[in-house]
């Protein structure tokens, strides 16, 4: 288990380049299983979740080679086997194996899919998609004798189930229609990759239309990570610093920045993104599916509210995603949690020790620790490295005193 030790309370400043988006890289790595040939994926973050995803596809016969931030994946010769439960249970993105494995091998295993344990994470919508394309769910396996194009309208918007429906439709015979789908930017990054591999995908206002095709290797660059960008932007504001976040399209942070700016935070976008000042008023945040405020950034916004005038956070994607606040309490963060949200009060911070509860909750604790004067420790911090590339090096460049002991 790793522990991060930081000496906080200093204004941090400088320029930081965000890495490729975790949530875009993961579906693309699994989507490569649909193709026969070599794919070139650029700007792939070297983070724990990507390493696990790569190991899973290697266990099916894919040959992966990293050169700098480019990942070459050769999927010419693959064989189905039930992936190692220990790997699958580490990352939520292993649910993409349902669609990818069914499409490539006609069989997929239902396993204990992992990921951050902040809420109950059902897979009913993923199974709904598999059945719609003609697959049979029997016990802990799913079988298909040739996927058929389908019309599916999800009863609820799900990023993961949308990814699986796209993967199933990409090589299924005939035409598919997917309605009530997730519109997060990483869904479009996945579509870019599949198109580069020969897929026929059209996105209209309310429906995705896909004509199934055989796919060859693809070539794509992963977009900058908006969650990582939002994290460094928050760090700038809460330390009273001047951090310029580079490598991200400001438009992809619009929904995150909107409530902060409405409450009086100051933003500079002349050269990258700099969040210069904290909100001057109470901030009200409601996390919703895209284009709403991203749920993965609500734990990152909590330190901003605590350092500014407080406010409320409601999460309509993961209603119970507030367990992380208990990990911020030792630092003096004051809050009142209720079933679908929390009220955060302006807080006097102090250095403390805590345990990283999950990836984004752990990042929130690290932000608070960097804002609080004195030496703090975040234990079980390896979970943060699952989603942040080179975090120690990047924070040092910004002037942070940080040490990670493994
Ligand atoms: C992905 C992201 C995660 C982010 C989430 C929402 C990855 C690897 N993870 O997770 O970081 O927090 O999107 O933006 O990209 N649901 C069901 N049944 C299902 C599937 C989901 O009811 O079969 C519900 C969930 O309980 C949740 C909501 O749908 O309330 C959204 O979940 P979903 O969008 O599927 O999240 P993930 O794809 O798991």
């Amino acid at each position: 288990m790793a522990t991060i030790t930081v000496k906080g309370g200093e204004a941090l400043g400088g320029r930081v380049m965000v890495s490729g988006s975790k949530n875009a890289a993961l579906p693309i790595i699994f989507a490569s299983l649909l193709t026969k040939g070599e794919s070139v994926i650029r700007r792939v973050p070297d983070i724990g979740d990507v390493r696990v995803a790569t190991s899973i596809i290697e266990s099916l016969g894919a040959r992966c080679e990293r050169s700098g931030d480019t990942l070459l994946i050769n999927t010419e010769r693959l064989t189905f086997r039930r992936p190692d439960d220990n790997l699958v249970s580490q990352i939520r993105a292993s649910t993409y194996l349902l669609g990818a494995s069914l499409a490539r091998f006609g069989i997929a295993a239902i396993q204990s899919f992992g990921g951050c344990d902040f809420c109950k994470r059902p897979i009913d919508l993923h199974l709904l998609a598999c059945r719609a394309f003609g697959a049979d769910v029997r016990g802990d396996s799913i079988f298909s004798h040739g996927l058929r194009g389908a019309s599916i309208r999800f009863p609820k918007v799900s990023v993961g189930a949308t990814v699986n429906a796209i993967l199933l439709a990409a090589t299924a015979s005939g035409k598919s229609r997917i309605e009530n789908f997730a519109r997060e930017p990483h869904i479009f990054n996945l579509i870019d990759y599949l198109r580069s591999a020969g897929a026929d995908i059209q996105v209209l206002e309310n429906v995705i239309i896909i004509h199934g095709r055989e796919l060859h290797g693809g070539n794509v660059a992963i977009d900058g990570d908006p969650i990582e960008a939002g994290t460094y932007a928050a760090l700038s504001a809460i330390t009273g610093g001047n951090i310029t976040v580079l490598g991200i399209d400001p438009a992809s942070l619009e929904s995150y920045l909107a409530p902060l700016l409405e409450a009086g935070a100051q933003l500079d976008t002349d050269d990258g993104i700099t969040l210069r000042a904290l909100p001057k008023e109470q901030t009200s945040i409601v996390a919703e599916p895209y284009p709403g405020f991203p749920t993965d950034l609500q734990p990152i916004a909590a330190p901003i509210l605590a350092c500014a005038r407080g406010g409320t956070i409601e999460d309509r994607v993961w209603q119970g995603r507030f367990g992380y606040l208990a990990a911020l309490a030792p630092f003096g963060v004051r809050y009142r949690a209720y079933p679908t949200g929390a009220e955060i009060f302006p807080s006097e911070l102090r250095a403390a020790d805590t345990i990283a509860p999950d990836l984004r909750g752990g990042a929130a604790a690290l932000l608070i620790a960097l804002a609080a004067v004195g030496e703090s420790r975040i234990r079980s911090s390896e979970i943060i490295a699952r989603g942040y590339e080179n975090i120690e090096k990047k924070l040092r460049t910004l002037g942070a005193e940080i040490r990670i002991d493994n």
Side-chain angles (χ1 to χ4, degrees):
M1 275 207 219
T3 298
I4 296 181
T5 306
V6 297
K7 273 216 184 94
E10 297 295 325
L12 300 180
R15 295 157 75 79
V16 64
M17 176 64 73
V18 301
S19 302
S21 156
K22 166 179 101 65
N23 287 351
L26 295 171
I28 290 173
I29 289 170
F30 285 105
S32 72
L33 296 176
L34 267 62
T35 70
K36 286 193 180 124
E38 181 159 271
S39 289
V40 182
I41 327 280
R42 287 164 284 129
R43 204 180 180 188
V44 179
D46 191 8
I47 50 175
D49 275 23
V50 162
R51 276 180 236 130
V52 174
T54 310
S55 299
I56 292 174
I57 66 164
E58 280 177 335
S59 75
L60 301 172
R63 280 184 287 125
C64 302
E65 200 184 308
R66 186 181 258 281
S67 164
D69 68 358
T70 298
L71 186 64
L72 300 177
I73 307 180
N74 189 308
T75 49
E76 251 152 288
R77 274 189 289 279
L78 303 182
T79 323
F80 175 74
R81 47 180 85 82
R82 186 186 161 95
D84 184 349
D85 287 301
N86 180 40
L87 287 174
V88 164
S89 63
Q90 287 181 42
I91 59 169
R92 181 66 186 172
S94 49
T95 45
Y96 303 146
L97 275 172
L98 294 175
S101 180
L102 259 182
R104 179 72 185 243
F105 308 112
I107 177 168
I110 300 177
Q111 297 175 266
S112 127
F113 301 113
C116 285
D117 196 14
F118 45 69
C119 272
K120 200 165 159 254
R121 299 180 84 168
I123 59 163
D124 56 313
L125 300 174
H126 300 256
L127 298 182
L128 181 85
C130 295
R131 289 193 178 99
F133 286 86
D136 278 337
V137 179
R138 276 184 254 149
D140 62 359
S141 299
I142 314 180
F143 301 92
S144 104
H145 299 287
L147 295 168
R148 295 184 305 272
S151 278
I152 179 164
R153 179 170 215 292
F154 285 111
K156 178 175 185 180
V157 176
S158 154
V159 173
T162 300
V163 168
N164 267 327
I166 292 171
L167 298 184
L168 290 161
T171 57
S173 62
K175 177 178 171 182
S176 297
R177 295 171 54 85
I178 304 167
E179 289 178 81
N180 203 24
F181 55 92
R183 293 158 196 275
E184 270 67 3
H186 42 280
I187 296 283
F188 290 88
N189 214 171
L190 168 69
I191 291 174
D192 287 343
Y193 166 69
L194 289 170
R195 281 185 180 142
S196 77
D200 179 353
I201 305 179
Q202 260 181 292
V203 184
L204 306 179
E205 202 178 325
N206 294 316
V207 60
I208 302 178
I209 296 179
I210 302 181
H211 293 272
R213 294 266 183 281
E214 280 221 352
L215 304 184
H216 49 76
N219 189 325
V220 78
I222 306 291
D223 295 335
D225 194 326
I227 316 297
E228 189 195 14
T231 305
Y232 287 109
L235 186 61
S236 183
I238 65 171
T239 64
N242 186 7
I243 297 173
T244 302
V245 184
L246 303 166
I248 187 84
D249 176 1
S252 68
L253 280 182
E254 210 173 289
S255 54
Y256 165 66
L257 294 169
L260 303 174
L261 299 181
E262 209 167 287
Q266 274 173 37
L267 180 73
D268 193 339
T269 52
D270 290 347
D271 168 31
I273 291 171
T274 306
L275 199 53
R276 284 199 191 284
L278 288 165
K280 295 185 183 63
E281 297 160 22
Q282 288 203 337
T283 310
S284 163
I285 287 171
V286 180
E288 285 179 305
Y290 190 85
F293 189 100
T295 168
D296 288 350
L297 277 169
Q298 66 88 348
I300 302 301
I304 301 182
L305 272 54
C307 292
R309 299 289 161 93
T312 55
I313 305 181
E314 188 186 333
D315 197 324
R316 294 185 183 161
V317 179
W318 304 107
Q319 274 84 4
R321 192 178 189 172
F322 290 94
Y324 70 87
L325 287 169
L328 308 189
F331 297 90
V333 171
R334 294 185 307 120
Y335 67 94
R336 187 172 63 84
Y338 48 93
T340 58
E343 186 170 2
I344 308 220
F345 303 105
S347 307
E348 286 285 324
L349 300 186
R350 56 175 178 266
D353 285 8
T354 198
I355 296 177
D358 56 53
L359 166 55
R360 304 305 169 188
L366 179 55
L367 290 179
I368 284 287
L370 286 163
V373 177
E375 188 169 291
S376 294
R377 263 169 292 276
I378 322 280
R379 299 184 200 281
S380 296
S381 66
E382 64 282 353
I383 203 162
I384 303 173
R386 278 186 35 200
Y388 291 89
E389 187 177 47
N390 285 333
I391 192 160
E392 186 178 11
K393 195 168 154 212
K394 287 185 183 182
L395 286 172
R396 280 220 182 105
T397 309
L398 299 173
E401 265 195 62
I402 175 169
R403 197 182 74 228
I404 303 186
D405 297 302
N406 287 299

